[in-house]
Amino acid sequence: IISILTAFIRMDGERAGELLIKDSNARTRDDDKVLHEKEYVAKIRELTDECKYSEDKYLMQKLGEYISRMFDAAQTHHVLMNPAFVSCSLAVKVVEGVALALDPNCEIWRIANPIILQSEISRNTKKLGSTLGFDGVVNKIKGEAELLGKRIKYYRIEEGKHNQKNGGE
């Protein structure tokens, strides 16, 4: 689930679609596997690309619409949606709604995204520890730390643009 969420945060629709298919196929019978996998992945990629190139650049902004389109694609292609992924996505939206009701300028994604990314790094590091040994883990941690640093830098740049747009608040 963390990997799927992370793929969406990174706006990598292709990876998110592939992970959703892999998860679905692992939980279904052989005679009920995903149909037309490439078409499904293309639909998920289209969602993230649409968000990536929009002014908001924030997937959760139109979450209701995106979830509806994901469910339509899932139904068409027989993708069994992971209930934990759906629950987590909806929970984020509910928390964000409450936060926005309390403070309309709140951008909860600035807090949530790094936590989800950090969770992915931690999970991947634990997996690698058992297969790569110490040197492999050190190299993987370095790579993940660089990626996280780039993501934090990106958020700071976006935050600066947002503050300039709103009069330097």
Side-chain angles (χ1 to χ4, degrees), residues 39-51:
E39 289 175 24
Y40 177 77
V41 169
K43 288 177 182 178
I44 301 302
R45 184 177 52 242
E46 183 180 308
L47 287 174
T48 56
D49 286 352
E50 185 179 306
C51 179

Side-chain angles (χ1 to χ4, degrees), residues 5-6 8-11 56-59 107-118 147-163:
L5 288 170
T6 304
F8 277 107
I9 288 170
R10 291 183 175 147
M11 294 186 196
D56 293 328
K57 291 190 176 189
Y58 180 45
L59 187 69
E107 294 177 326
I108 195 106
W109 62 273
R110 292 190 189 278
I111 298 166
N113 287 0
I115 292 169
I116 294 169
L117 293 170
Q118 183 179 12
L147 178 65
L148 186 58
K150 289 177 184 177
R151 181 57 78 174
I152 290 169
K153 183 178 177 182
Y154 168 79
Y155 286 133
R156 287 184 177 151
I157 290 169
E158 289 299 311
E159 184 175 80
K161 288 178 186 176
H162 176 76
N163 288 340

Side-chain angles (χ1 to χ4, degrees), residues 14-71:
E14 188 161 334
R15 177 83 175 131
E18 290 168 355
L19 290 168
L20 287 165
I21 288 170
K22 181 179 176 184
D23 179 71
S24 176
N25 284 339
R27 294 181 301 113
T28 56
R29 299 182 314 261
D30 286 338
D31 60 340
D32 199 24
K33 298 295 183 189
V34 174
L35 304 174
H36 312 290
E37 292 182 6
K38 289 181 183 179
E39 289 175 24
Y40 177 77
V41 169
K43 288 177 182 178
I44 301 302
R45 184 177 52 242
E46 183 180 308
L47 287 174
T48 56
D49 286 352
E50 185 179 306
C51 179
K52 190 185 307 184
Y53 301 116
S54 76
E55 190 174 308
D56 293 328
K57 291 190 176 189
Y58 180 45
L59 187 69
M60 301 307 269
Q61 197 70 15
K62 297 180 181 177
L63 183 66
E65 176 189 333
Y66 291 138
I67 285 181
S68 177
R69 288 170 56 188
M70 279 196 319
F71 282 179

Side-chain angles (χ1 to χ4, degrees), residues 40-150:
Y40 177 77
V41 169
K43 288 177 182 178
I44 301 302
R45 184 177 52 242
E46 183 180 308
L47 287 174
T48 56
D49 286 352
E50 185 179 306
C51 179
K52 190 185 307 184
Y53 301 116
S54 76
E55 190 174 308
D56 293 328
K57 291 190 176 189
Y58 180 45
L59 187 69
M60 301 307 269
Q61 197 70 15
K62 297 180 181 177
L63 183 66
E65 176 189 333
Y66 291 138
I67 285 181
S68 177
R69 288 170 56 188
M70 279 196 319
F71 282 179
D72 286 345
Q75 179 183 10
T76 301
H77 299 282
H78 293 202
V79 176
L80 181 62
M81 295 297 288
N82 187 311
F85 166 72
V86 174
S87 294
C88 188
S89 298
L90 292 173
V92 168
K93 190 60 179 174
V94 168
V95 168
E96 183 180 47
V98 170
L100 287 172
L102 297 172
D103 178 4
N105 296 320
C106 179
E107 294 177 326
I108 195 106
W109 62 273
R110 292 190 189 278
I111 298 166
N113 287 0
I115 292 169
I116 294 169
L117 293 170
Q118 183 179 12
S119 177
E120 181 191 40
I121 291 169
S122 174
R123 233 176 98 246
N124 289 341
T125 303
K126 287 177 186 174
K127 284 181 187 177
L128 286 174
S130 61
T131 58
L132 296 179
F134 182 74
D135 290 337
V137 171
V138 168
N139 290 333
K140 181 66 175 173
I141 290 171
K142 285 180 185 177
E144 293 290 348
E146 288 174 15
L147 178 65
L148 186 58
K150 289 177 184 177

